[in-house]
Amino acid sequence: MRPYLITAQPGRLRRAAVWLRVWALKGLALTVMVVLGAVVFSVRCARPVINYVATRAAWLELWAASVTGIGPMGAAVGAGLTDEFVREFHKARTSAPA
């Protein structure tokens, strides 16, 4: 006697539930990947605009500093933020698993 004749095979309802679960999970994964891709794409497309606005803001701050006589505070804050971002980037890059 063959083993598959002794053991009970899954019914249609159970096979349909498994199929539905597998494809629902695949659909959810695809949705997450598409959403993340859209976010990354929009951030990368907005990067030139952000760079332009940041450059104009720096020039405006320098102009205001020359008019008011108060030193540019954004440069000091920006330098500290840049150093912190570089430190975090290198820490993440060197501690990431290969």
Side-chain angles (χ1 to χ4, degrees):
M1 192 172 262
R2 304 231 185 256
Y4 65 84
L5 294 176
I6 297 171
T7 59
Q9 298 294 317
R12 283 187 195 167
L13 191 58
R14 183 170 176 86
R15 283 184 291 167
V18 168
W19 181 87
L20 185 64
R21 186 182 68 210
V22 166
W23 281 100
L25 191 60
K26 286 181 181 182
L28 180 65
L30 180 65
T31 303
V32 168
M33 287 188 288
V34 167
V35 168
L36 286 176
V39 167
V40 168
F41 181 73
S42 62
V43 167
R44 287 187 179 228
C45 287
R47 197 169 181 188
V49 174
I50 293 169
N51 287 342
Y52 176 77
V53 170
T55 303
R56 289 294 152 210
W59 280 106
L60 181 63
E61 182 189 18
L62 289 175
W63 172 81
S66 68
V67 170
T68 61
I70 302 171
M73 300 301 291
V77 173
L81 284 175
T82 301
D83 291 342
E84 186 62 31
F85 280 131
V86 168
R87 197 170 16 257
E88 285 295 320
F89 173 74
H90 286 304
K91 186 190 311 179
R93 191 171 55 98
T94 56
S95 65

